[in-house]
Amino acid sequence: MEKELIISAQQGSVEIALLEDKKLVELHKQKSNTQFNVGDIFLGQVKKLMPGLNAAFVDIGHKKESFLHYTDMGPLFNSDVRYTRDTLEGKYTSSLLEHFEIQPEIPKNGKVSQITDKRTALLVQILKEPISTKGHRLTCEITIPGRFLVLTPFNNSIAISKKIANTDERNRLFHVIESIRPKNFGIVVRTAAEGKKVAEMHEEINMLCEKWKMLHSQLFKAKPPMKLLSELDKTSSIIRDLLNPTFTRITVNDKEIYEGIKSYLENNLPEKANIVQLYKGHKPIFEHYAIKRQIKASFGQTATLSSGAYIVIEHTEAMHVIDVNSGPKSQRLDQENAAIQVNKEAAEEIARQLRLRDIGGLIIIDFIDMKSNENKLELYNAMKGFMEQDRSQHTILPLSKFGLMQITRQREKQELKLDTSEICPSCSGTGKVNASIFLVDTIEKDLDFVLSTRNARKLTLEVHPYIAAYLKKGFFNYPWKWYFKYYKKIKIRENEDLPLIDFKFFEGNDEEIRLKG
């Protein structure tokens, strides 16, 4: 599978498109001035406790107070509070945790009022972006991610990605990490660490420890709220998490981002340093690579499949509902075979849509009814296969007896919604246009004005192909009429992107003559 990243930077924002086999599967947007990103670590302060929700609201400097649920405080919450307090007061001065005493774990099913109170200072990390009227969701289970490893303070555990299936490799990684792991720091071994040498992983652990030291130095005698450690910008974090040997190209239209990516690749994946390219074309980069076209086709209530079938995506406050329809072209096969074919095609598109729109929460899919249990199992396995590339945590349940499939998908940010509809350029959204019978009269009126006010040697009239065909119809057509009337040849040029009853005039050097405001 070919993977490409196309990065468009313009006017203070960055858009990142991930393509798999030329098909758009993920779209990320980031404004350069945002101060609160998922993964950022803050010194926060508890503002109020909500016993009914078993949660606390924490001030991290955002206009909305952030939400910290008891389950997100983590079993090592007491260590977080103790470390924060001792460092703020100057009692704990060591930059790492070799002299820190790990505190007892909190009860799994305890109450928030039993373990903290108002004004308590905490180390917190943004878990989810604000959604709807809710503020950021926080966690006290701090993680500092790298390309191969993730550093987790206040524990001594080692966890290895389940995607590393080879038992010998898992054992090797465990013993390697155990030998180089700093005291009182846990390590999560990512999939990208498979086959990596000790030196590479040791270098990354040192780099992650340097980040912790930076956090510690800022925390000393600080006052909440305060940002202590910032996650990488969206571009760098996506490259860190996604980049693997299957990537074939990264194209970016901004020189500064290009240099940053080039440097990152040379340091972390030197064999892939040559895949990054600086785009210098005249067209916008998303137009050049047909991404804008895919965006227009992919966002909306309905998505049409190549077979003629289509899916309808509806959103409610509680869940997302997707309906699969066979369309008019699926009547050639018997009903059961047609159903499984359409359902599998729809499943692939649904998996893509979930990633592209970043739909999270509960998703209910109403597939076309099938009688065969074998077909139902085949569809379930196919959906699991299509969702394997999805980096968000998700759970898929088999089809229920009503033919419904339930999926839960982790949600870290607001669902990406793009309005791809456009205001009609002919009627400006009013739903009414001038009578088409008067179009030629309008053209001739404007033509008369142009020729009376400009001494244009060459004049071009640009119209929709349908209008061009009408104007050039017959032997004594409109260009000939205008030639005998004005003694000037008027060239007619077709433009299929022009609205049906719109038209433009151009001078000889192809400069548009603007007649309206």
Side-chain angles (χ1 to χ4, degrees):
M1 178 186 291
E2 284 191 3
K3 287 187 178 182
E4 303 172 63
L5 273 183
I6 310 296
I7 303 170
S8 172
Q10 55 185 348
Q11 299 177 349
S13 66
V14 178
E15 288 185 275
I16 306 158
L18 172 62
L19 307 182
E20 291 179 355
D21 292 335
K22 305 296 182 183
K23 186 177 283 190
L24 180 66
V25 294
E26 288 185 28
L27 186 65
H28 302 270
K29 292 187 175 185
Q30 182 187 35
K31 292 183 179 178
S32 57
N33 60 355
T34 181
Q35 298 296 313
F36 300 88
N37 295 316
V38 171
D40 288 353
I41 300 174
F42 287 81
L43 170 62
Q45 187 175 49
V46 177
K47 283 298 179 183
K48 55 188 171 187
L49 303 179
M50 302 294 289
L53 298 174
N54 203 18
F57 283 98
V58 180
D59 179 19
I60 62 170
H62 194 262
K63 59 184 178 181
K64 290 182 181 178
E65 290 178 346
S66 302
F67 184 77
L68 176 63
H69 193 268
Y70 185 89
T71 55
D72 292 320
M73 292 178 174
L76 302 166
F77 178 78
N78 289 332
S79 296
D80 181 304
V81 174
R82 178 68 178 269
Y83 175 82
T84 305
R85 185 185 67 214
D86 288 357
T87 306
L88 287 173
E89 295 174 356
K91 294 179 182 178
Y92 189 80
T93 56
S94 176
S95 58
L96 292 179
L97 299 176
E98 65 270 21
H99 303 302
F100 182 75
E101 184 180 346
I102 302 295
Q103 301 299 300
E105 295 186 359
I106 62 174
K108 186 176 182 180
N109 298 313
K111 301 294 181 184
V112 67
S113 56
Q114 297 171 347
I115 62 170
T116 189
D117 51 28
K118 291 181 183 178
R119 305 188 65 80
T120 300
L122 302 169
L123 273 184
V124 292
Q125 189 168 26
I126 294 180
L127 191 64
K128 294 182 181 180
E129 291 182 4
I131 296 173
S132 186
T133 58
K134 304 171 186 175
H136 293 89
R137 184 156 184 169
L138 305 176
T139 179
C140 291
E141 297 186 273
I142 306 299
T143 58
I144 303 177
R147 173 154 170 73
F148 309 125
L149 309 168
V150 179
L151 197 67
T152 60
F154 313 126
N155 72 79
N156 289 287
S157 65
I158 298 174
I160 299 175
S161 169
K162 293 178 181 177
K163 292 184 179 178
I164 301 177
N166 186 284
T167 305
D168 292 338
E169 177 63 8
R170 293 178 69 87
N171 290 334
R172 182 189 77 87
L173 288 169
F174 182 87
H175 289 104
V176 165
I177 297 301
E178 183 62 45
S179 65
I180 60 177
R181 175 182 61 83
K183 186 179 178 182
N184 290 333
F185 281 99
I187 300 288
V188 178
V189 181
R190 308 184 74 170
T191 310
E194 188 171 9
K196 297 301 175 184
K197 297 177 181 177
V198 180
E200 292 178 277
M201 291 186 282
H202 192 259
E203 183 182 352
E204 182 157 281
I205 284 180
N206 289 337
M207 182 267 291
L208 297 176
C209 286
E210 285 300 318
K211 288 188 176 183
W212 179 261
K213 290 177 182 178
M214 188 191 311
L215 180 150
H216 175 83
S217 64
Q218 287 186 284
L219 186 60
F220 179 63
K221 293 188 177 180
K223 290 185 178 180
M226 178 182 177
K227 181 191 278 192
L228 300 174
L229 191 64
S230 182
E231 168 65 302
L232 295 170
D233 61 82
K234 181 70 81 172
T235 309
S236 301
S237 63
I238 285 177
I239 289 171
R240 179 195 67 200
D241 295 342
L242 279 181
L243 197 61
N244 57 52
T246 64
F247 264 82
T248 55
R249 184 173 62 181
I250 300 173
T251 310
V252 58
N253 66 348
D254 181 87
K255 190 169 184 179
E256 186 177 338
I257 296 176
Y258 166 80
E259 296 291 350
I261 295 173
K262 186 87 172 173
S263 174
Y264 180 88
L265 291 175
E266 287 171 349
N267 292 329
N268 293 277
L269 210 65
E271 67 273 18
K272 285 288 181 179
N274 62 340
I275 68 171
V276 61
Q277 303 171 5
L278 180 62
Y279 176 75
K280 298 180 180 179
H282 298 295
K283 274 187 176 182
I285 188 169
F286 273 15
E287 282 189 24
H288 179 79
Y289 290 104
I291 294 169
K292 191 173 181 181
R293 185 183 185 91
Q294 289 198 54
I295 292 172
K296 291 280 187 182
S298 299
F299 286 88
Q301 189 179 25
T302 303
T304 305
L305 310 178
S306 57
S307 66
Y310 60 95
I311 61 174
V312 181
I313 304 173
E314 297 276 4
H315 310 279
T316 72
E317 190 69 23
M319 68 182 74
H320 305 270
V321 182
I322 303 176
D323 185 33
V324 178
N325 295 281
S326 60
K329 299 180 181 179
S330 303
Q331 309 302 323
R332 295 168 295 179
L333 304 171
D334 66 85
Q335 186 174 351
E336 189 72 11
N337 285 335
I340 184 61
Q341 286 192 18
V342 170
N343 283 341
K344 287 172 68 176
E345 184 184 15
E348 184 176 9
E349 178 63 19
I350 289 167
R352 170 177 170 263
Q353 288 285 343
L354 297 184
R355 291 174 67 189
L356 182 58
R357 303 183 189 215
D358 205 7
I359 295 175
L362 179 61
I363 302 127
I364 307 292
I365 308 171
D366 182 12
F367 283 105
I368 298 170
D369 289 339
M370 297 182 295
K371 296 178 181 178
S372 167
N373 290 329
E374 288 79 6
N375 285 343
K376 291 179 181 180
L377 181 60
E378 183 181 347
L379 176 60
Y380 170 63
N381 290 329
M383 177 58 86
K384 288 200 296 184
F386 295 138
M387 294 283 285
E388 279 183 355
Q389 298 296 324
D390 196 334
R391 292 179 296 130
S392 293
Q393 293 182 9
H394 57 270
T395 303
I396 306 170
L397 296 183
L399 288 167
S400 70
K401 64 179 180 179
F402 298 117
L404 303 177
M405 181 177 286
Q406 300 173 66
I407 299 176
T408 58
R409 186 176 182 273
Q410 181 187 20
R411 175 162 53 188
E412 288 186 353
K413 62 181 182 179
Q414 191 95 14
E415 178 193 343
L416 182 60
K417 293 181 180 178
L418 297 180
D419 185 5
T420 56
S421 59
E422 300 174 352
I423 294 176
C424 173
S426 297
C427 70
S428 300
T430 63
K432 296 180 180 180
V433 295
N434 292 330
S436 55
I437 196 172
F438 296 126
L439 177 61
V440 175
D441 293 343
T442 306
I443 292 173
E444 290 186 331
K445 182 180 176 182
D446 286 351
L447 177 61
D448 192 63
F449 174 78
V450 167
L451 292 174
S452 64
T453 56
R454 289 174 178 261
N455 187 24
R457 292 184 178 180
K458 293 182 180 180
L459 200 62
T460 301
L461 170 65
E462 189 174 89
V463 292
H464 190 277
Y466 288 163
I467 304 302
Y470 175 76
L471 294 175
K472 293 189 284 189
K473 180 182 178 182
F475 176 75
F476 195 59
N477 52 35
Y478 280 94
W480 277 110
K481 289 179 183 178
W482 295 334
Y483 178 78
F484 286 114
K485 182 177 181 180
Y486 301 109
Y487 299 105
K488 193 176 290 290
K489 191 173 182 179
I490 313 298
K491 180 183 177 182
I492 294 180
R493 184 168 66 199
E494 300 178 8
N495 181 356
E496 62 182 14
D497 292 329
L498 209 60
L500 185 63
I501 60 171
D502 207 354
F503 59 90
K504 295 178 181 179
F505 287 105
F506 294 86
E507 287 197 71
N509 56 2
D510 221 24
E511 180 183 347
E512 184 181 350
I513 302 171
R514 300 189 179 276
L515 300 173
K516 299 175 184 177

